[in-house]
Amino acid sequence: MKNWNKWKLSFFTILIMNIALLVTIVSFIVATPNTIENSPNNIQTEEVHFNVTTTKQQLNSLIRQYLTKNRKEEKISYAVVLADDITMVGTITAFGKKVSLLMSFEPKVKQNGDLVLEVKAIRLGKLRLPDRTVLKYIKDHYNIPNWVIVQPDKKAVYVSLNSLQLKNNIQLKASTFNLEEDDISFDVGITP
């Protein structure tokens, strides 16, 4: 059971990394520098905001490409799929047999632009695992970035996009993340 928890935590960590990668890629796409000569009279010092909109299909393609490019020799094979929720599906080897693994999350946008991933289900085969116990294990035994806060009592993972340190003074906030409506957008702010 301990080996399974390591793989589960590994998956959860990769899921969070995939979301962070997506946010970073979106911010770099928007933050393409201009090659305009600036004189002291032309320099503006106010914050600039852009709204970036995407679809589940585009995010799924991005996640699939990232996982394919960065897949290493692992004892767990998995995929992350954005449908009506965020789902990680895969298989692990337990007791010499391949067993299906499923973790599903419902994303919610906070008023401040952060994301909360509420656990919908964690299953190994047909066995539903206790959400709080799995999240507590992840929180206690793994090194997670400081902008990702595992909240076992709330059965959620808080993704503090406001605390995410991006290059070039870029700040990222989720505006919408409604998977059922395929309405996903981010506010990208750039401060001078």
Side-chain angles (χ1 to χ4, degrees), residues 56-191:
K56 290 185 289 191
Q57 181 180 1
Q58 292 168 330
L59 289 179
N60 279 324
S61 294
L62 180 66
I63 292 168
R64 196 171 29 256
Q65 289 173 13
Y66 175 79
L67 291 176
T68 300
K69 183 178 180 182
N70 294 298
R71 189 165 311 270
K72 298 177 182 172
E73 292 292 321
E74 298 173 346
K75 294 182 181 177
I76 182 172
S77 62
Y78 63 91
V80 176
V81 179
L82 301 180
D84 287 342
D85 57 16
I86 298 173
T87 304
M88 187 282 298
V89 292
T91 58
I92 63 169
T93 303
F95 308 111
K97 293 188 177 187
K98 293 204 179 248
V99 180
S100 65
L101 173 66
L102 178 130
M103 294 176 72
S104 63
F105 303 90
E106 182 176 348
K108 301 225 174 178
V109 176
K110 300 292 284 181
Q111 191 170 6
N112 67 353
D114 289 344
L115 281 174
V116 175
L117 305 177
E118 295 178 352
V119 175
K120 289 178 72 175
I122 301 173
R123 296 185 185 277
L124 181 61
K126 293 185 178 184
L127 176 66
R128 175 144 184 178
L129 299 175
D131 304 334
R132 285 186 179 118
T133 304
V134 173
L135 291 176
K136 182 166 180 10
Y137 184 84
I138 291 169
K139 180 179 180 179
D140 292 344
H141 293 91
Y142 291 91
N143 188 13
I144 297 173
N146 62 358
W147 51 272
V148 176
I149 304 157
V150 179
Q151 301 173 319
D153 292 337
K154 294 182 179 180
K155 296 191 213 180
V157 176
Y158 190 93
V159 181
S160 179
L161 296 176
N162 287 301
S163 300
L164 183 61
Q165 298 293 320
L166 299 174
K167 293 182 181 180
N168 300 324
N169 296 325
I170 296 173
Q171 294 181 322
L172 189 65
K173 295 181 180 182
S175 300
T176 59
F177 211 95
N178 185 336
L179 295 174
E180 290 179 3
E181 304 275 329
D182 203 12
D183 180 19
I184 304 163
S185 62
F186 296 92
D187 175 72
V188 180
I190 304 171
T191 55

